[in-house]
């Protein structure tokens, strides 16, 4: 192990942390051969998130897959030795806790058994973290447990604290190990959820933490056009929004499935993160993904929105809907956020729906058509409804003294069509 790490250290020093491969035609050349140009973003990623699911960290009988976990820790250490910052999102606590507490698989699989699942999460998280902690300690690396609830993302203040803490941990050369806090959030979802599994959680964190690359490791080798065990199944090398994918069954002890991973990968890519869905049983795939090799399914990153836009778009629930005039909608879309173009005044509003307080997140729609924007309001729904201008015979708001009252700052609004 020491020889291996010394060898990696020598390679890292020889190439340097800023090593950029030489372009040759439509491909890049590395020590491992040619790689597709579209994978350059993953190869050059300096801050990376790796997500492993229950099927990866445990065996079919519920016991820890120690050989895979050991290989996983070595792969993450290798990435760190290359000069990258690493975050790990790891599932598996519920399944490990079930075995420790002696409960049946059938009992815990039933999401209606909330208390049992939460008890399993409490017992299993200790097993998971103590194993990671021991393995990373042997590699000379510090790891840190980070348990997250949906409230940590919904609150702008807590979201900022969370991303700031992750930033500091990476500055201190630690590897954050992240999981949903299923001890308090292990029940079935009620209504809309920001995230319902660690696939989407890893996408939100990758985007929020300004990561460059995300590897979603799963129990299949890639996204296929149909379940890979069916005749005619073909790997999708680069995912496109209009891709046709036939979804099979999801995992048993975990809450995710291929549909979940596709949705999560799209969120991450829209948040500016190069994302790859790849097989997790071969832990060597981590190195391959971040070496730019053509494995798994690539979700190319879009242009990265600013942090507030990412929070508003992906990590919030809208509490109400504001309907604006067509002229306001056109101004907001055409302005691209310049010269106060996103600012909303009472005179721009036709209607307010829903009950919400000051600083709540609301959706914005035109007189015709669907929702096109989202933002934080400066006043409650009650105040808005009291001040909203009466409509004239032409259906447009009548200008009154109250019409200039500001409803939304332009800096606290995002046009969804641009993300």
């Amino acid at each position: 192990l020491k020889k291996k790490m010394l060898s990696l250290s020598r390679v890292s020093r020889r190439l340097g942390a800023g090593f950029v491969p030489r372009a040759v035609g439509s491909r890049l050349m590395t020590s491992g051969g040619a790689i597709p140009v579209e994978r350059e973003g993953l190869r050059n990623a300096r801050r990376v998130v790796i997500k492993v699911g229950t099927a990866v960290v445990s065996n079919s009988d519920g016991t820890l897959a120690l050989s895979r976990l050991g290989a996983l820790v070595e792969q993450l250490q290798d990435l760190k030795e290359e000069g990258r910052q690493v975050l790990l999102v790891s599932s598996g606590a519920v399944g490990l806790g079930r075995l420790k507490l002696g409960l049946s698989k059938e009992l815990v699989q039933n999401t209606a058994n909330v208390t049992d699942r939460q008890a399993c999460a409490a017992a299993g998280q200790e097993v998971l973290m103590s194993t990671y902690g021991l393995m990373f300690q042997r590699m000379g690396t510090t790891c840190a447990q980070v348990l997250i609830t949906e409230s940590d993302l919904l609150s702008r203040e807590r979201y900022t604290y969370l991303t700031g803490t992750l930033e500091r941990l990476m500055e201190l050369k630690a590897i954050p190990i992240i999981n949903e806090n299923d001890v308090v959030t292990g029940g079935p979802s009620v209504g809309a959820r920001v995230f319902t599994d660690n696939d989407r959680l890893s996408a939100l964190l990758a985007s929020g933490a300004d990561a460059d690359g995300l590897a979603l490791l799963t129990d299949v080798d890639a996204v296929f056009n149909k379940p890979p065990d069916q005749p005619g199944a073909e790997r999708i090398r680069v995912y496109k929004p209009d891709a046709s994918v036939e979804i099979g069954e999801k995992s048993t002890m975990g809450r995710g499935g291929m549909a979940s991973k596709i949705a999560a990968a799209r969120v991450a890519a829209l948040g500016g993160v190069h994302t790859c869905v790849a097989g997790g049983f071969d832990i060597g795939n981590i190195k391959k993904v971040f070496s730019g090799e053509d494995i798994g399914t690539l979700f190319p990153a879009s242009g990265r929105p600013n942090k507030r836009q990412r929070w508003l778009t992906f990590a919030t629930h809208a509490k109400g809907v504001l309907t604006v005039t067509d002229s306001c909608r056109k101004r907001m879309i055409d302005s691209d956020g310049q010269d106060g173009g996103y600012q909303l005044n009472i005179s721009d509003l036709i209607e307010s729906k829903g009950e919400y307080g000051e600083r709540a997140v609301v959706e914005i729609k035109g007189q015709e058509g669907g929702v096109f924007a989202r933002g934080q309001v400066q006043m409650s729904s009650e105040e808005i409804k009291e001040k909203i201008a009466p409509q004239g015979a032409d259906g447009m708001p009548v200008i009154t003294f109250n019409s200039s009252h500001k409803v939304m700052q332009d800096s606290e609004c995002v046009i969804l069509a641009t993300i």
Side-chain angles (χ1 to χ4, degrees):
L1 183 58
K2 288 183 179 178
K3 288 181 179 178
K4 177 182 178 183
M5 293 184 64
L6 286 171
S7 174
L8 284 167
S9 180
R10 284 193 294 270
V11 170
S12 179
R13 285 196 298 269
R14 186 167 64 248
L15 296 180
F19 171 69
V20 179
R22 179 171 59 89
V24 179
S26 64
R27 289 177 175 260
L28 299 167
M29 296 302 296
T30 70
S31 59
I35 61 172
V37 168
E38 63 264 22
R39 301 275 177 154
E40 180 182 1
L42 285 170
R43 185 178 189 273
N44 291 331
R46 286 295 163 238
R47 178 172 293 177
V48 300
V49 178
I50 294 89
K51 186 270 175 179
V52 292
T54 301
V56 175
V57 304
S58 59
N59 298 310
S60 58
D61 61 359
T63 57
L64 268 174
L66 288 172
S67 60
R68 278 201 298 271
L69 277 182
L72 169 65
V73 168
E74 286 190 338
Q75 289 279 310
L76 299 186
Q77 182 68 22
D78 287 353
L79 293 176
K80 194 166 177 286
E81 290 289 324
E82 292 172 3
R84 306 183 202 244
Q85 295 177 323
V86 179
L87 300 92
L88 173 65
V89 178
S90 177
S91 302
V94 173
L96 295 171
R98 176 195 70 78
L99 193 68
K100 189 175 182 180
L101 296 175
L103 299 177
S104 71
K105 194 172 184 178
E106 292 71 26
L107 179 70
V108 178
Q109 278 179 354
N110 185 353
T111 55
N113 293 329
V114 176
T115 305
D116 285 336
R117 290 179 65 86
Q118 290 174 330
C120 290
Q125 186 64 29
E126 184 277 329
V127 176
L128 195 61
M129 275 308 301
S130 62
T131 305
Y132 277 130
L134 179 61
M135 289 181 172
F136 274 115
Q137 184 181 35
R138 294 295 179 89
M139 302 290 289
T141 292
T142 298
C143 64
Q145 174 177 268
V146 181
L147 296 178
I148 295 175
T149 68
E150 183 164 310
S151 300
D152 300 320
L153 300 182
L154 289 174
S155 164
R156 172 68 180 167
E157 183 180 43
R158 289 167 67 172
Y159 177 83
T160 303
Y161 288 153
L162 170 63
T163 54
T165 300
L166 294 175
E167 187 79 34
R168 184 57 178 152
L169 285 170
M170 288 182 285
E171 288 174 357
L172 294 169
K173 311 300 183 185
I175 294 182
I177 299 180
I178 303 154
N179 196 0
E180 181 179 1
N181 190 356
D182 285 323
V183 176
V184 294
T185 62
S189 60
V190 178
R193 291 281 305 274
V194 171
F195 66 89
T196 56
D197 52 58
N198 275 351
D199 295 320
R200 189 172 177 93
L201 174 59
S202 64
L204 293 172
L205 286 176
S207 175
D210 294 325
D212 306 302
L214 167 64
L216 289 169
L217 301 186
T218 181
D219 54 0
V220 294
D221 292 334
V223 178
F224 290 80
N225 60 344
K226 60 175 65 176
D229 58 350
Q230 293 187 8
E234 296 181 359
R235 175 174 73 102
I236 299 174
R237 291 182 57 255
V238 180
Y239 187 90
K240 298 179 180 178
D242 59 354
S244 176
V245 180
E246 181 182 329
I247 304 298
E249 295 182 0
K250 68 178 184 179
S251 59
T252 55
M253 288 305 300
R255 282 181 283 174
M258 187 50 67
S260 165
K261 286 167 180 60
I262 292 172
R266 293 189 67 184
V267 166
L270 289 169
V273 183
H274 301 282
T275 304
C276 183
V277 176
F281 290 143
D282 180 0
I283 295 298
N285 282 341
I286 295 175
K287 179 179 177 65
K288 293 175 183 177
V289 165
F290 293 110
S291 294
E293 294 189 30
D294 183 15
I295 68 165
T297 298
L298 174 68
F299 290 72
S302 304
R304 173 165 285 168
N306 67 44
K307 188 161 283 192
R308 179 174 287 274
Q309 289 175 324
R310 281 174 268 158
W311 175 72
L312 282 170
T313 305
F314 302 123
T316 60
H317 288 318
K319 300 294 186 181
V321 181
L322 295 178
T323 302
V324 300
T325 63
D326 286 338
S327 60
C328 173
R329 180 182 184 276
K330 184 176 187 305
R331 182 195 77 222
M332 293 177 71
I333 292 175
D334 291 348
S335 72
D336 196 28
Q338 302 299 313
D339 301 321
Y342 289 173
Q343 179 177 306
L344 280 184
N345 295 323
I346 285 291
S347 58
D348 295 317
L349 303 186
I350 299 291
E351 184 182 26
S352 171
K353 286 186 177 181
E355 301 296 327
Y356 48 86
E358 183 180 343
R359 307 299 300 158
V361 175
V362 299
E363 293 177 329
I364 304 168
K365 64 186 291 289
Q367 289 175 275
E368 296 182 4
V371 171
F372 69 92
R374 179 178 286 197
Q376 282 184 287
V377 290
Q378 299 285 304
M379 55 184 77
S380 69
S381 58
E382 185 177 354
E383 292 177 282
I384 290 175
K385 288 173 183 177
E386 286 177 357
K387 291 182 171 64
I388 201 164
Q391 295 182 18
D394 59 357
M396 300 298 290
V398 176
I399 303 300
T400 69
F401 174 77
N402 286 335
S403 297
S404 62
H405 284 196
K406 190 180 296 182
V407 176
M408 186 178 295
Q409 298 270 18
D410 64 322
S411 62
E412 297 178 338
C413 177
V414 57
I415 303 298
L416 301 180
T418 64
I419 293 183

